[in-house]
């Protein structure tokens, strides 16, 4: 691809646009999150029936989930290294179509290999979708007003679990696990059609009020800044946790807490209810602080870091909880508030890098999350297979990955400061 990321005559936004246009693009960008995360959530819903049909161990199923993240990371890195030579709109259209096509091998799967093939294809599509959706929306907003758009886009993941996954869970229970993949394919086609008509770059696609003062620095200089390293670690830690939750949370609700498959599918949506509130709360607090004169170090770094720290500590305490209702509440609050990571990391990175590097930098952040997902479901699956009690493997996973998230939140709160890192580059 050789199309420059900056607006072209064909794609350039008109000088006078309706006031609702930035929010329409933001809503369409949130749809990309809906698509990506409803697909990831499906893996948790179909885990038990697939394992039962094909006689898979938890470790083997964890490997299938890991396959999703392998080419997610590679495709994100490809976007990151391509620099300006991509068209956000065109790549996102391709992602939607590829995601739809990738569901076919899973719907027709006769064994583990076809499932792995499906996850590799879909993972390739999902990799660029998340960072480029943010980049497309950010082109309509200045740096000081990106917290709320970031929250809205990220809330697409919560919407997927609240509104769509319970419905898909009922379809899977009624008609079998293959129907779930068919449903995702239909959603992918619908989103691609919407993006074709709505997705356009905005007035901030080629410039940035803050980042324009920085030169097009080399990748290594940008990646070595404490701010970027803290963002990479935070998204890595939350990505590891998210991959485990998407793969194993319904199974934990069933095998560990004793709920039925239908109830587990409904409970799967509860963390996202908390997530919606957390996204709006954290994104809104950050934007308000910054409009009031606070630095990004405070508005994004301290606020976001403390949120991640507390989320991780709540999740790490789950092995100490015996009551199923309390355990569910801990998952709801701990994981629900952890999804705010993109609400703080993506705006920070978009401010740290110049506009021409923004898409690539956001892709690198998503690559860090995907890299964690290559390993964490397999680790959790191994903990489940070797656990002494039915639910102890799942709770051990919360201890490990919750602790990692808490550490990343502490580092994020202490290290994030784009203004300082601009002055040293």
């Amino acid at each position: 691809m050789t199309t420059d990321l900056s607006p072209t005559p064909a794609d350039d936004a008109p000088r006078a646009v309706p006031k609702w246009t930035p929010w329409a693009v933001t809503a369409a960008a949130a749809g990309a999150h809906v698509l990506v995360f409803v697909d990831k959530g499906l893996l948790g819903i179909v885990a038990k029936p697939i394992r039962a049909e094909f006689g898979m161990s938890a470790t083997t199923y964890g490997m299938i989930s890991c396959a999703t993240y392998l080419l997610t990371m590679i495709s994100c890195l490809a976007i990151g290294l391509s620099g300006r030579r991509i068209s956000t709109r065109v790549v996102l259209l391709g992602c939607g179509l590829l995601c739809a096509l990738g569901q076919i091998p899973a719907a027709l799967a006769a064994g583990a290999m076809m499932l792995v093939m499906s996850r590799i294809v879909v993972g390739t599509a999902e990799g660029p979708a998340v960072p480029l959706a943010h980049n497309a929306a950010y082109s309509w907003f200045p740096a000081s007003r990106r917290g709320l758009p970031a929250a809205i886009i990220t809330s697409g993941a919560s919407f997927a679990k609240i509104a769509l996954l319970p419905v898909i869970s009922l379809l899977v229970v009624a008609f079998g696990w293959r129907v779930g993949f068919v449903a995702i394919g239909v959603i992918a086609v619908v989103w691609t059609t919407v993006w074709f008509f709505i997705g356009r770059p905005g007035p901030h696609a080629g410039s940035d009020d803050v980042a324009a003062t920085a030169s097009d620095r080399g990748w290594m200089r940008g990646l070595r800044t404490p701010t970027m390293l803290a963002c990479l670690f935070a998204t890595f830690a939350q990505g590891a946790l998210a991959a485990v939750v998407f793969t194993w949370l319904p199974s934990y609700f069933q095998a560990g807490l004793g709920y039925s498959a239908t109830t587990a599918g409904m409970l799967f949506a509860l963390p996202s209810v908390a997530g919606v509130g957390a996204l709006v709360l954290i994104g809104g607090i950050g934007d308000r602080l910054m409009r009031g004169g606070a630095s990004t170090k405070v508005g994004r770094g301290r606020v976001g870091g403390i949120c991640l720290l507390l989320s991780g500590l709540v999740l790490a305490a789950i092995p100490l909880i015996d009551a199923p209702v309390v355990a569910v509440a801990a998952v709801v609050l701990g994981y629900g508030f952890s999804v705010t990571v993109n609400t703080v990391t993506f705006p920070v990175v978009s401010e740290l890098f110049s506009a021409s590097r923004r898409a690539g930098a956001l892709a690198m952040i998503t690559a860090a999350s995907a890299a964690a997902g290559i390993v964490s479901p397999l680790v959790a699956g191994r903990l489940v297979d070797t656990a002494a009690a039915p639910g102890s493997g799942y709770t051990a996973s919360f201890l490990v990955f919750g602790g990692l998230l808490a550490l990343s939140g502490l580092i994020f709160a202490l290290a994030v400061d784009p203004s300082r890192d601009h002055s040293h580059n």
Side-chain angles (χ1 to χ4, degrees):
M1 291 175 288
T2 58
T3 306
D4 196 285
L5 184 61
S6 58
T8 63
D11 287 343
D12 200 4
R15 293 292 181 181
V17 296
K19 291 183 179 180
W20 53 262
T21 299
W23 299 108
V25 174
T26 300
H33 265 243
V34 172
L35 174 58
V36 168
F37 287 95
V38 75
D39 174 77
K40 292 180 186 296
L42 177 64
L43 289 183
I45 290 174
V46 300
K48 290 200 75 173
I50 286 179
R51 288 179 59 196
E53 180 170 331
F54 297 124
M56 293 180 186
S57 67
T59 303
T60 300
Y61 191 76
M63 179 192 69
I64 292 173
S65 179
C66 292
T68 305
Y69 297 92
L70 176 61
L71 284 194
T72 295
M73 182 187 70
I74 294 173
S75 59
C76 280
L77 290 174
I79 292 296
L81 295 174
S82 66
R84 305 176 185 181
R85 298 179 299 277
I86 60 171
S87 167
T88 297
R89 177 173 180 269
V90 171
V91 174
L92 281 172
L93 288 172
C95 289
L97 291 174
L98 192 60
C99 184
L101 292 173
Q103 307 302 327
I104 297 174
L108 301 176
M113 288 309 300
M114 290 186 71
L115 289 169
V116 170
M117 181 189 307
S118 170
R119 302 322 300 166
I120 288 176
V121 173
V122 173
T124 303
E126 291 177 350
V130 170
L132 291 184
H134 278 267
N135 185 58
Y138 292 169
S139 71
W140 289 93
F141 299 91
S144 63
R145 302 186 67 88
R146 289 176 186 158
L148 183 56
I152 292 173
I153 297 169
T154 307
S155 70
S158 298
F159 177 83
K161 287 178 279 184
I162 294 170
L164 296 181
L165 283 179
V167 175
I168 292 176
S169 178
L170 292 175
L171 290 174
V172 168
V173 171
F175 302 106
W177 58 266
R178 298 175 193 273
V179 173
F181 292 101
V182 174
I184 303 300
V186 172
I187 294 171
V189 172
V190 171
W191 178 83
T192 304
T193 304
V194 171
W195 185 255
F196 178 81
F197 290 103
I198 293 180
R200 292 291 188 276
H204 296 279
S207 63
D208 191 297
D209 294 338
V210 177
T213 59
S215 62
D216 249 4
R217 70 193 65 169
W219 278 114
M220 291 309 297
R221 290 177 62 193
L223 290 174
R224 285 199 301 266
T225 61
T227 294
M228 187 65 177
L229 291 174
C231 288
L232 288 169
F233 185 38
T235 51
F236 178 90
Q238 204 280 331
L241 172 67
V244 170
V245 166
F246 279 119
T247 306
W248 297 117
L249 186 58
S251 296
Y252 168 60
F253 287 152
Q254 294 177 65
L257 301 181
Y259 293 103
S260 68
T262 302
T263 302
M266 298 299 178
L267 290 175
F268 195 20
L270 288 183
S272 299
V273 176
V276 170
L279 288 164
V280 175
L281 177 66
I282 299 303
I285 289 175
D287 278 0
R288 177 166 295 188
L289 287 172
M290 292 181 66
R291 288 198 299 270
S295 65
T296 303
K297 176 180 179 180
V298 175
R300 310 281 189 226
R302 295 288 170 80
V303 172
I306 291 172
C307 181
L308 295 177
L309 171 63
L310 295 177
S311 296
L313 292 176
V314 169
L315 291 168
I318 288 177
L320 305 176
I321 300 173
D322 293 326
V325 173
V326 180
V328 171
V331 173
V332 168
L333 293 175
Y335 179 70
F337 273 75
S338 80
V339 302
T340 59
V341 65
N342 284 350
T343 307
V344 290
T345 56
F346 277 33
V348 165
V349 172
S350 73
E351 182 177 337
L352 181 64
F353 286 84
S354 60
S356 62
R357 291 285 194 183
R358 188 189 302 145
L362 295 177
M364 300 297 279
I365 288 292
T366 305
S369 176
I374 295 173
V375 178
S376 62
L378 187 61
V379 171
R382 184 61 179 167
L383 289 172
V384 171
D385 279 339
T386 58
S392 61
Y394 300 107
T395 58
S397 299
F398 284 122
L399 174 62
V400 171
F401 296 107
L404 184 67
L405 180 68
L407 176 61
S408 75
L410 178 62
I411 293 173
F412 192 84
L414 296 175
V416 166
D417 190 351
S419 297
R420 174 202 62 207
D421 292 335
H422 272 311
S423 67
H424 288 86
N425 288 279

